[in-house]
């Protein structure tokens, strides 16, 4: 009798596992919708739009979500689209985010859907290209919306689809991105319990998933340093205070911050001056020099240290030469650390592993790139991960990297994103059902 009860208990557990394990259903649905996702991605790639101007992309998304019977709100954070799918059973609110904007880059790929778009950006004509994979992010989340709407009866909670503008930044003087969507209440009504996001990885092979608990991507702050000197004829430098010489000294000294002030055994950091402008003739010593750069950190302590040292080095080096230095830090924009909630990441790791195969889910080091998904993670627990887009057998060293004219990703990558995102939603809901 005891043996019979034990066998019946095992059978009950097995049946429950079959009911709650939707991986096979998700995999079949991903196979079915893959061609549609690829077509959406090609269309969006051919018609890229810069931050806060994603009008065509937003209309495409809204029309698709509405066709699925999903509640849709447009114009969130200027051009953002939010969809709400309520499952048949009560449970947590799971948010999924995809960024929509392209970059001011001229594409140099030989593709039938290559971008030829040009537009105005900060008063200048520029080419536009999806050079970071946001077109794929949108297409994948559109596919996920269709897959999950077809599994509505199995959803133990609500899914909030967040299609976000302006992750790459906005035109001068404008607000945008995740921060503006949060400001306008995207995480409320219904209140979000957890958020997931993915990103293409052009140098990671198709079928792989990269993840890291804790600080995954760096905080970023742009810096502007203006060195004010005294102009003179280039033939009489002794009558000047040369801001170009002072700027050169400042740039060299800034390199010692990472090598001599930051404990790089704990966290990496970056201080880069990427733009310097001063003077307009060979025989005129200019009055001022303007420098622009970026700072990347992974802790508030390192950020505070580096910001203070940049100000100290710039101001005191200039003062020693008889010049002055004005430091604006952060300058144009700031993103916090993309921090994957450690408990959540551990909890959801099996979902990633069953989506791609345990051997294909890779724990990777921190990345010094930055993401405004981090603003969402400051408000609710979140997890961000990367899916490979490098064709199998291709050389990562020669394949076009992110933010370049030759950036390219393989269409076969998208199925991994579809499966991983859907598994995360259903598994989280099952573990946190109310």
């Amino acid at each position: 009798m005891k043996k019979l009860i034990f066998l019946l208990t095992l059978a009950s557990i097995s049946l429950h596992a079959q009911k709650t394990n939707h991986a096979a259903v998700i995999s079949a649905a991903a196979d079915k919708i893959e061609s549609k996702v690829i077509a959406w991605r090609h269309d969006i790639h051919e018609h890229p739009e810069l931050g806060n101007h994603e009008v065509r992309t937003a209309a495409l998304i809204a029309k698709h979500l509405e066709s699925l019977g999903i509640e849709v709100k447009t114009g969130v954070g200027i051009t953002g689209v939010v969809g709400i799918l309520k499952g048949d059973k009560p449970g947590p609110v799971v948010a999924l985010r995809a960024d929509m904007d392209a970059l001011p880059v001229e594409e140099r790929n030989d593709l039938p859907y290559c971008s030829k778009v040009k537009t105005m950006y900060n008063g200048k004509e520029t080419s536009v290209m999806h050079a970071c994979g946001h077109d794929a992010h949108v297409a994948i989340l559109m596919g996920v919306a269709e897959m999950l709407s077809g599994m509505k009866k199995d959803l133990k909670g609500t899914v909030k689809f967040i299609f976000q503008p302006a992750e790459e930044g906005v035109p001068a003087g404008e607000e945008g991105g995740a921060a503006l969507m949060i400001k306008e209440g995207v995480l409320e009504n219904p209140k979000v319990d957890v958020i997931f996001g993915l990103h293409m990885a052009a140098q990671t092979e198709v079928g792989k998933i990269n993840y890291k608990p804790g600080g995954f991507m760096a905080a970023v702050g742009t810096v502007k340093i203006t060195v004010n000197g005294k102009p003179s004829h280039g033939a009489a430098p002794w009558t000047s205070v040369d801001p170009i010489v002072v700027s050169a000294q400042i740039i060299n000294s800034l390199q010692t911050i990472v090598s001599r002030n930051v404990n790089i055994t704990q966290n990496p950091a970056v201080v880069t001056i990427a733009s310097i402008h001063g003077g307009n003739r060979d025989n005129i010593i200019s009055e001022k020099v303007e420098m622009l750069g970026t700072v990347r950190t992974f802790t508030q302590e390192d950020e505070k240290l580096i910001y203070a040292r940049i100000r100290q080095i710039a101001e005191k080096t200039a003062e020693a030469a008889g010049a002055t230095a004005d430091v604006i830090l952060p300058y144009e924009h700031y993103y916090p650390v993309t921090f994957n909630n450690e408990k959540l990441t551990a909890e959801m790791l099996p979902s990633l592993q069953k989506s791609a195969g345990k051997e294909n889910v890779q724990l990777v080091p921190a990345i010094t790139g930055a993401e405004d998904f981090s603003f969402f993670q400051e408000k609710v627990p979140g997890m961000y991960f990367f899916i490979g887009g490098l064709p199998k057998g291709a050389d990562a060293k020669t394949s076009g990297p992110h933010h370049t004219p030759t950036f390219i990703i393989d269409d076969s990558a998208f199925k991994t994103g579809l499966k991983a995102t859907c598994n995360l939603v259903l598994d989280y809901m099952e573990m946190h059902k109310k």
Side-chain angles (χ1 to χ4, degrees), residues 135-178:
D135 50 344
H137 305 167
V138 170
I140 289 169
L141 193 54
M142 288 172 67
V144 167
E146 186 164 331
M147 291 167 66
L148 292 179
S149 65
M151 303 176 70
K152 189 170 178 289
K153 60 179 175 52
D154 297 315
L155 293 181
K156 298 175 181 177
T158 297
V159 184
K160 183 176 280 192
F161 302 95
I162 300 174
F163 292 88
Q164 179 208 305
E167 191 281 326
E168 300 287 2
V170 297
E174 294 184 19
E175 284 187 277

Side-chain angles (χ1 to χ4, degrees), residues 269-426:
V270 173
V271 177
T272 293
I273 298 297
S275 173
I276 178 167
H277 295 275
N280 58 10
R281 277 183 62 100
D282 61 287
N283 62 351
I284 299 175
I285 292 176
S286 66
E287 187 171 14
K288 69 177 181 179
V289 169
E290 290 184 344
M291 295 179 278
L292 296 174
T294 186
V295 179
R296 311 287 170 128
T297 57
F298 286 89
T299 68
Q300 290 183 338
E301 292 77 13
D302 284 348
E303 181 182 285
K304 184 178 179 181
L305 167 68
I306 292 174
Y307 281 23
R309 287 291 288 139
I310 288 173
R311 293 183 188 281
Q312 184 181 44
I313 287 170
E315 291 170 358
K316 297 302 181 182
T317 302
E319 182 183 348
T324 62
D326 300 320
V327 180
I328 304 175
L329 176 63
Y331 173 49
E332 286 184 323
H333 65 266
Y334 171 81
Y335 294 169
V337 175
T338 304
F339 189 89
N340 282 337
N341 182 282
E342 287 152 330
K343 180 176 181 291
L344 175 67
T345 304
E347 188 176 63
M348 305 316 300
L349 180 57
S351 301
L352 298 181
Q353 291 172 336
K354 72 180 177 185
S355 301
K358 190 172 182 179
E359 71 282 1
N360 292 317
V361 179
Q362 307 171 137
L363 175 64
V364 296
I367 300 167
T368 51
E371 243 291 343
D372 81 345
F373 185 81
S374 53
F375 286 110
F376 295 118
Q377 293 173 309
E378 284 191 321
K379 302 297 182 182
V380 297
M383 189 180 80
Y384 197 68
F385 61 98
F386 283 77
I387 60 170
L390 180 71
K392 289 186 180 295
D395 185 352
K397 294 179 181 178
T398 58
S399 182
H402 293 254
H403 288 219
T404 70
T406 56
F407 170 82
I408 195 164
I409 49 178
D410 194 293
D411 291 339
S412 65
F414 308 152
K415 196 152 56 174
T416 301
L418 293 168
K419 292 192 293 184
T421 305
C422 288
N423 277 320
L424 286 169
V425 170
L426 287 160

Side-chain angles (χ1 to χ4, degrees), residues 1-2 9 29 36 46 59 67 82 144 151 158 166-167 173 211 222 242 249 295 308 313-314 341 351 363 380 434:
M1 186 64 179
K2 288 183 178 179
T9 302
K36 289 175 71 172
E46 193 172 358
S67 74
V82 178
V144 167
M151 303 176 70
T158 297
E167 191 281 326
Y211 81 101
T222 52
D242 190 342
Q249 293 171 338
V295 179
I313 287 170
N341 182 282
S351 301
L363 175 64
V380 297
K434 296 180 180 179

Side-chain angles (χ1 to χ4, degrees), residues 6 69 97 104 106 181 216 238 266 314 384 391:
F6 176 71
R97 177 272 209 163
E106 183 175 6
M181 293 193 88
F216 193 9
W238 51 86
Q266 295 177 349
Y384 197 68

